[in-house]
Amino acid sequence: MKNYQCLKEIQADIQSGQISCKTLVLNYIEKIEENSGLNIFLEVFKDEALESAQKIDQKIKAGNAGKLAGMVISLKDNICYKGHKVSASSKIIEGFESLFSATVVERLIQEDAIIIGRTNCDEFAMGSSNENSAFGIVKNPISSNKVPGGSSGGSAASVAAGMCLASLGSDTGGSIRQPASFCGNIGLKPTYGRVSRHGLIAYASSFDQIGTFANSIEDTAALLEIMSGPDEYDSTLSQKKPNSYTDDIVQEVSSKKIAYLSCYVNHEGLNPEVKEKTLAIIENLKQKGHQVDEINFDYLEQLVPAYYVLTTAEASSNLARYDGVHFGYRSPQAFDLLSTYVKSRSEGFGKEVKRRIMLGTYVLSAGYYDAYYSKAQKIRRLIKERTQEILKDYDFVLSPTTPHPAFDIGSQNEDPIKMYLEDIFTVQANLVGLPAISLPLGITKEKLPFGIQLMGSPFEEGKLLNFSQYLININ
Amino acid sequence: MGVDRKTVDRIAELARLEFNEAEKEEITNDMNKMLDFVDKLSEVNTDGVEPLVYMLDESTPLRPDVVKQEISQKEALKNAPQKDSDFIKVPKVIERN
C-alpha cells in the first residue's frame, strides 16, 4: 500500500477504484501486527473497524458518505468510545468499558471516520516519554531505542509508523506537541474551550484539551472543523461558532508579525541543531518580508513550576474518584471503607501518578494553599496578561517545540524535575489557553525529527493553520 | 519550606494513599525536590494580582435543569468491581453492636 499522507489522496484512490476502505484497514492492521513490538496499541478494534469499513465502502458507492470517509484514526487511551475499553494506561481502571462516547468521537464517526484502536500513553496523561504506562513503554518507530515522547506517545507513534492516518490525543502541558516533535508529525492543541472535553478522562481540567496528530495541515483542519464547537456536556466550551478551518487554508499569506522569545531561543538546554534550525527559519521568514522580532519574557522560570502546582492540584481532585467502590480496581485486601480507598488507590496507581497526587494534595492543604496554589494562580494571570500583550502586537509566537529531539529510553528517569523540564516551551500555551501547533520542520544529522512550534491568538486556529501550511511550504 | 516524614504521612492520609518505608523515603525526597523547584514562584511579586481561576472570557452558558435517565441500572453495574443483580457490593462498613 502507498504510504498515504493525507485524506485527499486516499479519497481520490477510493474514487478511482485503486483502494477500498476495507483494504485500507487491512493494510493498517497488518502494519500494526508487524510492529507490535513497539507497543503502540493497547487494543486494536479489528473486526469492528473492518465492519465499518465495509459499510463506508457501500456509502461511498451510494454517494452518501461523510466528509471523513477513508480516514482511519486511533484514539489515545484516555478518550471514551462507547462499548470499548478505556484505561488511561492505568491498572486502576483496567478493564473498564465506557458507557458513552466522547463528543469528539461521536462527531468523527458521524462523518464516517473509522476508529482502529486505542493507543498507549503515560498513565493518566502524566509524563513526557510514555515510560509511565502501566502497560509498558512505547518505542519510537523512527528509532526504536528512543522514546516517542508523551504523554500521547502511542498516538504520535501510530501516525509516524503508518498504522493509521491520524490520531486523537490530549494536551495538558505539551502532551500532543512534544510527541509530535519526537515522532515527526503535526500536532495541534486547540484553544482551551474550542473542543469538547466530554469523554476525556480528566487530568487537569483547566489545562486539558483534545487535539490531533496528522501528516498534513489539511487533515488537521478537517478534524478540527468537525470536532469543534459547543456541546451541552461541556460547560467550559466557548459558544463561538467554529470556522470552516479547511477553507482557511488559502495558501496565501500577507506580511506577518512574528515574535520569538529570547529566553526560549537562548535557553541553555537547547540542542545546537534545534537552535540552528530555529534561527534559520527566523532568517528565512525575514527574507520573505515578514517582521520577526526577539521579545523579552520575564516568566520563563515560573512557567513549569506554575504548571506543576496547578496541574497536580487539579489532578489530586480529579483522581479522587478512583476509590475502588463503583468501578475500576478494588484491592483484594479491602476489608472496610478506608482500606477500600487506601489499598485500591495505592495498588492501582503508578508511581508518577501518586507523586503528583501527593504534591497536589500538599499544595491544596491548609497552611500551604496560599503559598503555592493561590500564588500559582496569580502567576498564571501574570503569564496570561504578558502573553496576551505580545499577541496584541504579533500574529504568532515561534519557538522550538522541544529543547531536543527524542532521547534514549530510560535516560531521563532518575530525576522527575529533569523530565518536567521537557515541557519548558509547551506549557505556556496551556497556562494561557492558547492554540499551538508543532510542525515537523527539523531533522538532525542522526535523522531524528524535531518540531517547530507556533502559538496563536485564542480561537484563531484558522490563521494558525494557514500560516503553518505556509511555513511548511517555504521549508 | 520542606516536608518531613510526618507531613508526608498527613498528606498521604488526606490523599488516601499509603507507602511502605522505602517508598516513604523516596516520596519525601521527591516532594522536597519538587517543592524546591516550584519555589521559583515566590520570586515574583504578585501583590494586588487576582488569582486566575476561570480560563474563558465568556460566561458559562446555562441550560434548563431537566432530569434525564442517561444510563440504565444494568449499565451502572457493568463496571463495578463487585456486585449482585441489583447493587454494587462493598466491604462491610457498619459494625454490628
Side-chain angles (χ1 to χ4, degrees):
Chain A
M1 186 178 75
K2 260 197 241 173
N3 186 14
Y4 289 108
Q5 298 296 306
C6 73
L7 181 60
K8 221 177 230 173
E9 278 176 66
I10 293 174
Q11 288 180 337
D13 282 2
I14 293 175
Q15 284 305 331
S16 66
Q18 289 181 55
I19 199 162
S20 65
C21 291
K22 192 185 163 188
T23 328
L24 194 63
V25 169
L26 281 170
N27 280 313
Y28 285 133
I29 288 171
E30 198 183 304
K31 240 330 175 356
I32 295 170
E33 286 170 354
E34 270 169 21
N35 297 288
S36 59
L38 299 174
N39 203 24
I40 293 172
F41 279 82
L42 292 178
E43 189 180 357
V44 182
F45 307 141
K46 191 174 170 178
D47 296 338
E48 201 188 331
L50 282 169
E51 205 177 295
S52 317
Q54 276 168 312
K55 275 189 203 147
I56 294 163
D57 281 329
Q58 294 299 324
K59 284 172 92 173
I60 294 171
K61 275 194 192 119
N64 58 4
K67 285 182 196 164
L68 297 180
M71 186 177 273
V72 178
I73 297 180
S74 66
L75 298 178
K76 182 178 184 179
D77 186 39
N78 63 355
I79 298 173
C80 296
Y81 180 16
K82 188 174 178 165
H84 297 77
K85 289 190 179 111
V86 62
S87 74
S89 289
S90 181
K91 273 204 303 198
I92 207 157
I93 40 172
E94 188 176 4
F96 178 87
E97 214 176 282
S98 187
L99 302 178
F100 61 91
S101 286
T103 301
V104 291
V105 172
E106 251 173 30
R107 290 183 183 175
L108 295 180
I109 291 176
Q110 199 77 39
E111 290 295 343
D112 289 331
I114 297 168
I115 311 294
I116 195 159
R118 56 188 174 98
T119 53
N120 206 339
C121 58
D122 283 302
E123 185 178 359
F124 285 101
M126 298 177 184
S128 306
S129 65
N130 220 127
E131 292 169 296
N132 293 336
S133 166
F135 306 110
I137 57 172
V138 173
K139 294 176 181 169
N140 191 319
I142 293 160
S143 171
S144 61
N145 62 338
K146 306 280 181 195
V147 302
S151 66
S152 317
S155 287
S158 70
V159 174
M163 297 169 170
C164 49
L165 188 66
S167 183
L168 296 191
S170 64
D171 191 312
T172 306
S175 282
I176 289 176
R177 290 159 287 155
Q178 190 251 18
S181 174
F182 284 9
C183 292
N185 36 52
I186 297 170
L188 172 73
K189 179 202 96 75
T191 311
Y192 185 82
R194 180 74 299 174
V195 174
S196 171
R197 290 182 293 112
H198 175 64
L200 170 69
I201 295 178
Y203 159 19
S205 306
S206 77
F207 291 77
D208 299 342
Q209 261 297 282
I210 292 176
T212 55
F213 293 90
N215 284 317
S216 72
I217 293 292
E218 238 176 70
D219 290 353
T220 307
L223 288 166
L224 181 67
E225 186 172 310
I226 288 158
M227 295 194 302
S228 296
D231 170 22
E232 66 170 314
Y233 292 106
D234 181 355
S235 63
T236 60
L237 278 174
S238 167
Q239 300 304 299
K240 287 191 188 97
K241 202 175 165 280
N243 291 18
S244 314
Y245 297 108
T246 41
D247 296 333
D248 288 329
I249 320 293
V250 290
Q251 309 284 351
E252 264 170 46
V253 164
S254 56
S255 173
K256 296 287 180 209
K257 287 178 78 179
I258 297 139
Y260 65 97
L261 307 182
S262 52
C263 57
Y264 280 21
V265 177
N266 299 316
H267 193 260
E268 54 173 20
L270 191 58
N271 169 296
E273 286 184 83
V274 176
K275 182 172 179 170
E276 195 185 325
K277 180 70 189 175
T278 309
L279 294 174
I281 288 172
I282 289 169
E283 208 38 56
N284 190 10
L285 284 169
K286 282 181 183 168
Q287 276 173 14
K288 296 257 179 332
H290 303 283
Q291 184 185 333
V292 192
D293 298 330
E294 185 166 340
I295 293 292
N296 285 324
F297 182 76
D298 291 335
Y299 303 113
L300 177 76
E301 292 192 301
Q302 278 73 38
L303 287 170
V304 180
Y307 169 80
Y308 271 91
V309 168
L310 296 171
T311 53
T312 55
E314 292 186 27
S316 79
S317 165
N318 271 328
L319 272 59
R321 75 191 66 179
Y322 305 103
D323 58 6
V325 175
H326 301 91
F327 59 88
Y329 175 77
R330 181 182 297 168
S331 167
Q333 295 184 66
F335 59 88
D336 64 0
L337 186 64
L338 194 63
S339 64
T340 301
Y341 294 159
V342 173
K343 300 278 180 200
S344 304
R345 287 166 64 78
S346 300
E347 292 164 20
F349 287 133
K351 194 169 164 181
E352 180 61 24
V353 174
K354 284 191 256 192
R355 193 145 57 194
R356 294 197 196 189
I357 291 174
M358 287 291 285
L359 186 71
T361 307
Y362 178 80
V363 301
L364 286 175
S365 65
Y368 306 105
Y369 185 96
D370 288 337
Y372 293 107
Y373 184 65
S374 186
K375 182 82 181 175
Q377 286 182 314
K378 289 176 185 176
I379 290 175
R380 189 180 197 183
R381 181 178 297 280
L382 293 175
I383 292 169
K384 186 182 177 191
E385 284 172 357
R386 174 66 186 129
T387 310
Q388 279 175 331
E389 215 173 86
I390 296 171
L391 284 167
K392 220 175 259 173
D393 293 331
Y394 293 90
D395 297 294
F396 309 106
V397 178
L398 184 143
S399 70
T401 308
T402 49
H404 42 238
F407 48 86
D408 287 347
I409 290 169
S411 66
Q412 298 220 16
N413 283 336
E414 291 298 300
D415 182 359
I417 306 298
K418 209 171 166 201
M419 192 68 97
Y420 295 170
L421 284 168
E422 280 301 306
D423 298 328
I424 182 94
F425 303 142
T426 47
V427 290
Q428 189 181 3
N430 304 78
L431 281 161
V432 184
L434 300 174
I437 192 165
S438 178
L439 305 171
L441 299 179
I443 186 135
T444 65
K445 287 188 207 92
E446 275 184 88
K447 302 276 177 251
L448 291 174
F450 61 87
I452 294 294
Q453 175 178 252
L454 279 176
M455 197 161 66
S457 291
F459 301 103
E460 296 286 9
E461 280 85 354
K463 287 181 188 164
L464 183 68
L465 291 169
N466 189 42
F467 192 73
S468 296
Q469 183 64 64
Y470 170 79
L471 205 54
I472 291 171
N473 292 346
I474 64 166
N475 259 276
Chain B
M1 271 182 272
V3 293
D4 51 20
R5 289 288 194 97
K6 221 179 114 194
T7 315
V8 167
D9 286 342
R10 172 70 188 136
I11 298 300
E13 190 191 345
L14 289 171
R16 296 291 185 250
L17 290 171
E18 66 181 6
F19 299 96
N20 66 31
E21 280 309 307
E23 288 171 335
K24 217 176 274 180
E25 186 166 328
E26 197 182 11
I27 191 91
T28 309
N29 199 5
D30 286 348
M31 282 180 76
N32 278 314
K33 271 194 207 163
M34 287 155 93
L35 289 170
D36 276 349
F37 175 61
V38 303
D39 200 43
K40 282 278 169 204
L41 296 176
S42 66
E43 291 173 13
V44 175
N45 183 343
T46 52
D47 292 348
V49 179
E50 275 296 300
L52 179 61
V53 176
Y54 190 65
M55 290 311 290
L56 224 60
D57 295 329
E58 300 167 43
S59 58
T60 313
L62 298 173
R63 58 168 167 74
D65 187 17
V66 185
V67 177
K68 281 194 225 166
Q69 185 71 42
E70 297 200 307
I71 60 167
S72 64
Q73 184 188 33
K74 198 178 153 213
E75 284 176 315
L77 288 170
K78 189 174 180 176
N79 288 299
Q82 256 187 300
K83 63 200 159 190
D84 61 20
S85 57
D86 295 311
F87 298 104
I88 292 170
K89 289 169 79 175
V90 291
K92 193 166 73 174
V93 293
I94 303 168
E95 290 299 325
R96 193 177 289 178
N97 282 322

